[in-house]
Amino acid sequence: KAGVTQTPRYLIKTRGQQVTLSCSPISGHRSVSWYQQTPGQGLQFLFEYFSETQRNKGNFPGRFSGRQFSNSRSEMNVSTLELGDSALYLCASSQTGPRHLSNTEAFFGQGTRLTVV
Amino acid sequence: KNQVEQSPQSLIILEGKNCTLQCNYTVSPFSNLRWYKQDTGRGPVSLTIMTFSENTKSNGRYTATLDADTKQSSLHITASQLSDSASYICVVSGYSGAGSYQLTFGKGTKLSVIP
């Protein structure tokens, strides 16, 4: 069974540009969450999508957006890039659904390393 | 505000020795607590996941404990190996309503195992 796949693995952009990152979840998983990881802040939750709907959102500015497609693949977009957006962006997939399934495992991808110059 | 605090920030131990990492949290309502291992430049990999009613859970040389009353957890690594060198992240899941959950992450403990 293939794991969570994130593309691209590495990306260099300049300030002011926009970027789109992609995440393909494990087959059968309907939930995809996105996280930003920086050395100073650790992992921070961006948003979660479940069945093409954004179910949760972290405390990030509106420049950060995402979407999920009918096949559960998800994309994350960051517009007007800033130097502080340089980070490892991770996505995780799981089968989370109703409350009684809250303890389902979340599987992470390898991440996309974004560098803004 | 939901928070997860981990200690120590970094730790260096000799190969073969044991060590214990700590995690304190204030997430409420609590759903479960997870420990992840993250190698440099890679995504986190799950070690254990514990619910409110579980006190101890093991995964090979890794043993996690949970005290839901004091909101503390620990991860004990036995007979450390060089491959244990990584960041260990404590993650607490809290119910955020309407059947959904949000994960709060600690900043991790960076463990270095030296020969």
Side-chain angles (χ1 to χ4, degrees):
Chain A
K1 199 174 190 181
V4 179
T5 304
Q6 289 188 246
T7 57
R9 287 294 311 278
Y10 303 93
L11 206 49
I12 300 176
K13 291 284 189 179
T14 56
R15 278 181 297 176
Q17 285 187 310
Q18 74 163 18
V19 66
T20 299
L21 313 181
S22 178
C23 173
S24 293
I26 291 172
S27 177
H29 286 191
R30 294 163 63 192
S31 168
V32 174
S33 300
W34 287 90
Y35 302 87
Q36 181 194 66
Q37 187 176 34
T38 58
Q41 296 296 320
L43 271 156
Q44 292 183 287
F45 172 73
L46 281 157
F47 29 66
E48 182 209 2
Y49 287 87
F50 183 82
S51 294
E52 301 180 66
T53 301
Q54 187 180 86
R55 189 161 66 172
N56 273 306
K57 191 177 189 303
N59 297 321
F60 278 80
R63 299 184 298 107
F64 292 82
S65 63
R67 58 179 175 168
Q68 186 179 34
F69 302 96
S70 58
N71 61 358
S72 292
R73 189 177 72 85
S74 178
E75 287 183 347
M76 186 192 110
N77 186 75
V78 187
S79 62
T80 319
L81 284 166
E82 301 175 0
L83 295 180
D85 296 333
S86 295
L88 180 66
Y89 289 88
L90 292 159
C91 85
S93 80
S94 69
Q95 295 176 319
T96 44
R99 181 183 175 88
H100 67 280
L101 296 177
S102 67
N103 299 325
T104 52
E105 188 54 75
F107 296 88
F108 285 83
Q110 301 281 45
T112 293
R113 171 75 63 187
L114 172 65
T115 302
V116 183
V117 298
Chain B
K1 182 184 176 183
N2 290 337
Q3 285 188 314
V4 175
E5 301 287 340
Q6 290 187 245
S7 61
Q9 281 190 324
S10 61
L11 185 61
I12 301 174
I13 62 172
L14 290 173
E15 185 180 10
K17 297 296 186 183
N18 303 336
C19 67
T20 300
L21 314 180
Q22 300 290 342
C23 172
N24 297 336
Y25 63 92
T26 59
V27 176
S28 181
F30 173 87
S31 176
N32 59 64
L33 185 146
R34 311 157 187 229
W35 283 94
Y36 284 88
K37 176 187 178 187
Q38 185 177 22
D39 293 315
T40 302
R42 303 179 76 86
V45 175
S46 177
L47 294 174
T48 64
I49 177 170
M50 289 187 292
T51 61
F52 183 89
S53 59
E54 295 175 296
N55 300 121
T56 304
K57 185 165 276 192
S58 292
N59 178 359
R61 295 180 297 102
Y62 301 100
T63 299
T65 65
L66 174 64
D67 185 334
D69 291 330
T70 61
K71 294 184 168 60
Q72 295 180 325
S73 175
S74 65
L75 179 69
H76 186 75
I77 304 174
T78 304
S80 60
Q81 300 176 357
L82 298 179
S83 59
D84 292 331
S85 295
S87 286
Y88 291 83
I89 303 172
C90 175
V91 185
V92 180
S93 174
Y95 183 60
S96 55
S100 64
Y101 297 82
Q102 188 159 321
L103 302 179
T104 303
F105 291 79
K107 293 186 179 180
T109 292
K110 186 174 175 59
L111 174 66
S112 299
V113 181
I114 59 176

